[in-house]
Amino acid sequence: MTQYRFWSGLHTIGGNIMEVQTAQARVICDFGLSVGGDTEQIDETLSELEFLLVTNQLPSIPYLYETESFKKIKLASVNESTLKTTLFISHLHLDHMGGLQYLPEGTVVYLSEDAYRLYYVLIKVGEENPSKADIRLFDFDTAVQVGDITVTPKWSDHDSVGCSAFFIETQELKLIHSGDVRLNGEHPERIIEWANEAKAWKPDVLLLEGTSFSFDGEKKQATEEPVSEKELLQKWGELLQDDPDSIILYNPYIRNIERIKAIAEETELYGRKMVFESAYAEVLHAFYPEKKWRILESTQMDIKEYVEEVLTLQELIQHPSHYVLQNSYKNKETVTYFNNGIYVHSNGEPLGDYDARYAELLYFLEIHQFSFVQMGTSGHATKEDLLTIAENVGAKQTIPWHSFKPEVFQQRLIEKGLDSFVPEVNKNYLAKQKTEIGVIE
């Protein structure tokens, strides 16, 4: 008998964790942290893991954690489990993998090759915490057997390298976990390909992220952000051309490697030199070893073979129009060394106005006479693109999640003639037959 269950992520953007379980084995897809947990009363006697469980930033999944030392939560420990358990991570964003560091030693976790490479270079530069889990590689289109559960990863596209969708099959169930998807990025053909394969595969269930349905059209339009990576590059070029005199500070998300490389190349075409903090150059080198990068001296860790030039902050101050400086939030004080300038926020940290640091950043830039330019683009498919994917796959049931408003997405799916429902957290769903999905109370 095959059951599937949702542990979190049904009414949030991120933190979506689900499992497929048989009598022999259990597959858990993604393992990220949920933001906005109840953290008002902090008990300092709790371990970090138990605190995250108490505040619902991680779900209390039985037989997954080492729980013997817990003080408040009664939860079956991994040492009591007889199930073969394996985790599959769709991509390297914190809301999909931030919980890896809390897994006990020996827990098997699969990543794509690029996600694996990114994970370990982020650990190297201090942007990620190591895990005691047994991290393994999978190959796209090559099945991984976990007991009587077969997982076949498919190459997908999001704003982080090595993104995956998962085709999960047991004797009674065919389920697709879409991961985060977009058709406005550099590789829409990857999603089109796995969606076409899915149509032929005839899945019982499609789990489809619905981030775009979290917002009404007016709010999304008001941001006036580029709608695609291609348009973002065009706007970047326009900025370089329209303001040739000011220093430009650029704050990208360190995990969006492809965009950072593209911005650096575009910058050089307009006659400016792109200067990186050492950690960002290290990450870029992991994926583009043939290229060399300019480094800001004050952030330099040590001399590397991929460093083209080391520049002092004083050189940038003397010739601000010659440079673009990549600037992470933790190094925002760099702004104070310039009389004025332009600060381009490109999906870097803080990620949005829900983070208190975002308002602090805007105020900080204002008092130091820096113009703020929002120049990111969504890593998530539009509403219409999501509906197109769902229609093309044609699953017997399409389940919307990874959204503040999954019910809105569900209604649109139904209007398209697709069977859909919004599940509940911590409830088992049973595939009794290929044509029927039931619920175990």
Side-chain angles (χ1 to χ4, degrees):
M1 181 176 69
T2 301
Q3 304 171 8
Y4 63 98
R5 177 188 296 216
F6 299 88
W7 288 109
S8 57
L10 291 176
H11 287 83
T12 62
I13 296 178
N16 53 326
I17 302 172
M18 65 82 60
E19 70 174 42
V20 174
Q21 181 177 320
T22 67
Q24 298 180 27
R26 175 173 64 170
V27 163
I28 297 174
C29 290
D30 282 345
F31 199 64
L33 298 173
S34 296
V35 296
D38 180 12
T39 59
E40 290 184 3
Q41 296 182 343
I42 299 176
D43 186 341
E44 295 182 356
T45 66
L46 301 181
S47 67
E48 186 174 356
L49 171 58
E50 189 174 5
F51 171 75
L52 291 173
L53 299 179
V54 167
T55 56
N56 296 313
Q57 295 179 71
L58 277 176
S60 296
I61 304 176
Y63 305 111
L64 184 64
Y65 311 105
E66 292 174 337
T67 64
E68 287 82 1
S69 64
F70 282 7
K71 299 179 183 301
K72 285 191 173 183
I73 298 176
K74 292 184 178 180
L75 186 65
S77 174
V78 64
N79 300 315
E80 304 171 46
S81 177
T82 59
L83 283 176
K84 182 178 179 62
T85 297
T86 299
L87 282 75
F88 289 80
I89 304 300
S90 65
H91 63 284
L92 257 281
H93 281 172
L94 289 171
D95 59 332
H96 291 262
M97 52 68 65
L100 293 185
Q101 61 184 295
Y102 304 105
L103 292 171
E105 186 174 359
T107 306
V108 177
V109 177
Y110 276 95
L111 302 173
S112 71
E113 182 177 352
D114 279 347
Y116 182 94
R117 186 186 312 170
L118 179 59
Y119 180 61
Y120 281 102
V121 73
L122 289 172
I123 292 173
K124 181 179 180 181
V125 301
E127 291 286 339
E128 189 56 73
N129 294 316
S131 172
K132 294 182 291 184
D134 178 6
I135 310 291
R136 302 180 183 181
L137 294 177
F138 61 67
D139 294 322
F140 292 119
D141 295 314
T142 299
V144 178
Q145 201 68 35
V146 182
D148 55 350
I149 305 174
T150 303
V151 180
T152 304
K154 300 292 181 178
W155 206 3
S156 196
D157 189 46
H158 184 42
D159 53 358
S160 180
V161 293
C163 296
S164 314
F166 300 116
F167 286 34
I168 304 171
E169 185 172 11
T170 71
Q171 186 175 353
E172 298 125 335
L173 176 69
K174 288 183 174 182
L175 180 146
I176 294 176
H177 182 294
S178 75
D180 286 356
V181 295
R182 62 176 181 176
L183 293 178
N184 63 341
E186 296 296 327
H187 311 287
E189 71 283 352
R190 296 175 185 170
I191 296 166
I192 293 170
E193 182 174 349
W194 71 247
N196 287 336
E197 291 178 12
K199 185 176 184 177
W201 194 56
K202 301 186 185 304
D204 299 296
V205 180
L206 168 64
L207 309 183
L208 186 56
E209 68 112 325
T211 303
S212 296
F213 282 93
S214 299
F215 312 100
D216 58 37
E218 288 75 19
K219 179 172 182 177
K220 294 303 284 184
Q221 291 171 5
T223 64
E224 297 183 354
E225 288 192 348
V227 298
S228 68
E229 294 292 335
K230 182 178 180 180
E231 184 180 326
L232 185 147
L233 273 185
Q234 292 172 345
K235 287 187 175 294
W236 178 252
E238 292 169 4
L239 175 67
L240 295 173
Q241 195 168 29
D242 293 345
D243 198 326
D245 300 323
S246 303
I247 184 69
I248 299 176
L249 271 59
Y250 178 67
N251 180 7
Y253 194 33
I254 194 170
R255 299 167 194 244
N256 195 341
I257 306 303
E258 292 180 319
R259 181 188 296 173
I260 297 172
K261 173 178 176 285
I263 287 289
E265 292 174 343
E266 193 76 5
T267 299
E268 301 284 338
L269 290 177
Y270 281 85
R272 289 197 186 220
K273 295 180 179 180
M274 188 86 187
V275 183
F276 286 98
E277 296 170 6
S278 188
Y280 280 67
E282 187 82 34
V283 174
L284 285 164
H285 175 67
F287 288 87
Y288 308 106
E290 74 286 354
K291 297 186 71 67
K292 293 185 179 294
W293 313 96
R294 295 183 180 86
I295 307 296
L296 185 64
E297 184 185 50
S298 59
T299 68
Q300 187 176 337
M301 294 183 287
D302 50 27
I303 299 296
K304 300 286 188 179
E305 71 278 5
Y306 55 80
V307 174
E308 179 179 347
E309 184 180 9
V310 178
L311 292 151
T312 65
L313 188 57
Q314 191 60 38
E315 289 176 276
L316 275 66
I317 294 169
Q318 290 176 350
H319 306 285
S321 63
H322 295 182
Y323 302 101
V324 170
L325 174 61
Q326 173 267 310
N327 180 247
S328 58
Y329 178 77
K330 65 182 178 183
N331 292 321
K332 69 181 186 300
E333 294 295 330
T334 302
V335 164
T336 64
Y337 292 93
F338 297 91
N339 294 327
N340 53 61
I342 299 171
Y343 187 96
V344 178
H345 192 273
S346 190
N347 301 116
E349 293 187 26
L351 299 180
D353 56 11
Y354 59 84
D355 187 330
R357 298 176 303 164
Y358 193 85
E360 293 170 4
L361 174 63
L362 293 180
Y363 177 71
F364 180 78
L365 294 172
E366 182 181 356
I367 64 176
H368 290 289
Q369 300 183 52
F370 262 70
S371 301
F372 179 82
V373 177
Q374 184 73 45
M375 194 180 294
T377 190
S378 176
H380 302 277
T382 65
K383 297 173 185 177
E384 291 307 315
D385 284 345
L386 288 171
L387 292 169
T388 297
I389 292 169
E391 284 185 288
N392 195 51
V393 171
K396 290 172 183 161
Q397 288 193 303
T398 301
I399 297 178
W401 67 331
H402 197 287
S403 175
F404 294 138
K405 300 176 181 178
E407 292 84 3
V408 175
F409 190 8
Q410 177 203 16
Q411 185 58 41
R412 291 292 304 278
L413 290 165
I414 292 172
E415 290 170 3
K416 292 287 186 179
L418 298 170
D419 191 1
S420 177
F421 74 99
V422 177
E424 298 178 41
V425 170
N426 200 17
K427 180 174 286 190
N428 287 333
Y429 291 85
L430 172 66
K432 294 179 179 177
Q433 299 175 348
K434 291 296 184 182
T435 57
E436 180 182 351
I437 301 292
V439 179
I440 298 178
E441 299 290 351

